[in-house]
Amino acid sequence: MSGWSEKDIPDQSGRVAVVTGANSGIGYVAARELARKGARVVLACRSEARGAAARGRMVVEVRGAEVDLALLDLGDLGSVRQFAATFPEGRLDLLVNNAGVMALPYGTTADGFETQFGVNHLGHFALTGLLLPTLLATPGARVVTVSSTMHSMSNIDINDLNSERSYRRWTAYARSKTANLLFTHELARRLAAHGSDVVAAAAHPGYAATNLQTAGPRMADRKLSEWFMRIGNRFFAQSADAGALPTLYAATAPDVRPDSFTGPSLAGWRGSPASSWRAPWTLNDQAAGRLWDASEQLTGVTYDALKA
C-alpha cells in the first residue's frame, strides 16, 4: 500500500459503480477518479440540483466520462426502494456506501429512525440488500462502506438503536459508524458462507476537509463550533482528494480482503492508504448478527439471496 495513489487505480473500463453522496467531498472525488479510469459511474445524490452541478463539473474535469445522476435519499426508504427498482444497469461492479451525516441535532428520518443511524447505517443496509441480486450476478463485485475512526467512541446499544432513551450527537454518530463496520463484518461472513466472490470491505478518510464537519453546527446554529470546524479543516485536515484514497483503494486494489478496514497510514489521520485499527467490538459475530436482524426488521429489507 505504501505510496499508493489514484494513479495506481486499475483500469475500470466496462465496470459500473454507484457512489452515494457523490455530489461533494470524498464521494465526488471517488466517483471522479473511477470515471477517469473508465468506469460508468452513477452519482446517487439526494439533491437533484447539487447532483446535476457535480455531474456537470465532473464531465468537464474528465473528458469522455460516463457519468449518470440518480436521485437517492437515504433518509427515506421509499426513495431507496425507488432507486433500486429503477437501477438501469444489468451489472453492478462496485457499490460505494459513502454518504453520511455527522453530529446533527436530534431528528428523525422519513421513516422515524434517528437521523444518523437511519441515514448512515439503515439507508445503506437497505440499499445494499435491494441491489444484492445484481451484485451477486456480477463477477468480482465489491461493496465498500465508509466508516470513521470516530466509531471508537462508542459501541452500538442494541436495545436503543434510535437513541430514544437519550441523545448525544457525537455518541449517535460514533454508533452509526460502528454499525457500518458491524454491517461489513456480517455481510462479509454471509457472502463467504454463500460461496460468493463479492468482497465487502470498509474504509475511512481520516481527517479530511469536507462539508460534513460544518453541517451539524450550522443546523444547530452553533456558530462557534462551525468556526472551529472551519479552522480545523483549513489548517489540520488533509484534502478531500487525499481523504478519498482509502475508499478508492478498498474499491479497486487487487489485494483487498473481505472485512478489511482501510484508512490513512499516519496514525489514521492522513497519508497513503493502509490497514486501519478498529475497535474489537466491530468484529463481534454475535453483535453483528443481532444488528443485522434488527436492521432487516426495521427496514423490511431481507437479504433472501444469502439465506440458506
Side-chain angles (χ1 to χ4, degrees):
M1 292 188 196
S2 179
W4 194 92
S5 76
E6 70 280 356
K7 296 175 183 176
D8 297 304
I9 298 172
D11 180 39
Q12 299 295 299
S13 298
R15 293 168 63 82
V16 176
V18 169
V19 182
T20 68
N23 59 280
S24 66
I26 290 158
Y28 177 84
V29 174
R32 184 191 67 202
E33 296 309 313
L34 291 168
R36 195 188 304 278
K37 289 291 185 172
R40 182 180 186 87
V41 182
V42 178
L43 312 180
C45 303
R46 182 170 60 89
S47 164
E48 185 171 11
R50 290 194 294 270
R55 183 187 179 280
R57 225 169 39 246
M58 200 172 294
V59 297
V60 170
E61 292 179 7
V62 182
R63 181 176 295 181
E66 291 188 80
V67 183
D68 296 323
L69 171 64
L71 297 185
L72 172 66
D73 183 353
L74 290 159
D76 182 346
L77 291 177
S79 173
V80 176
R81 290 184 180 277
Q82 176 71 10
F83 177 92
T86 57
F87 182 66
E89 307 292 342
R91 63 183 297 138
L92 179 55
D93 300 86
L94 178 58
L95 173 59
V96 181
N97 291 325
N98 161 79
V101 292
M102 182 173 78
L104 302 182
Y106 180 80
T108 57
T109 67
D111 304 282
F113 309 127
E114 185 276 312
T115 302
Q116 298 191 79
F117 180 68
V119 170
N120 296 354
H121 170 62
L122 290 176
H124 282 127
F125 177 90
L127 178 67
T128 306
L130 292 167
L131 293 175
L132 183 65
T134 309
L135 287 161
L136 290 172
T138 306
R142 292 190 191 182
V143 178
V144 176
T145 300
V146 179
S147 182
S148 166
T149 54
M150 295 288 288
H151 81 272
S152 62
M153 286 179 55
S154 182
N155 196 355
I156 61 167
D157 181 349
I158 195 67
N159 297 312
D160 190 25
L161 292 173
N162 283 299
S163 301
E164 293 169 325
R165 295 177 184 171
S166 66
Y167 182 76
R168 293 178 181 271
R169 61 183 183 274
W170 283 109
T171 299
Y173 177 69
R175 287 175 174 175
S176 75
K177 295 289 102 178
T178 284
N180 289 153
L181 287 171
L182 285 170
F183 166 60
T184 298
H185 181 67
E186 182 66 6
L187 179 58
R189 187 194 69 77
R190 290 182 181 231
L191 286 165
H194 185 69
S196 171
D197 69 346
V198 175
V199 171
H204 75 88
Y207 185 8
T210 71
N211 58 16
L212 190 68
Q213 287 91 348
T214 55
R218 188 165 55 251
M219 286 179 64
D221 197 28
R222 290 183 285 113
K223 297 190 186 309
L224 183 61
S225 293
E226 184 179 355
W227 176 84
F228 179 78
M229 289 295 185
R230 289 189 187 281
I231 293 296
N233 278 357
R234 182 173 179 182
F235 293 104
F236 300 105
Q238 62 180 351
S239 67
D241 285 59
L245 290 179
T247 296
L248 286 164
Y249 184 93
T252 67
D255 59 345
V256 172
R257 298 180 61 81
D259 202 25
S260 57
F261 188 33
T262 303
S265 56
L266 299 178
W269 184 285
R270 60 195 304 137
S272 57
S275 180
S276 185
W277 177 87
R278 60 196 286 182
W281 58 71
T282 68
L283 295 167
N284 184 300
D285 291 348
Q286 184 179 14
R290 292 180 71 191
L291 176 64
W292 186 282
D293 292 343
S295 301
E296 285 194 332
Q297 227 176 5
L298 289 168
T299 64
V301 175
T302 55
Y303 284 56
D304 295 333
L306 295 184
K307 295 190 187 303

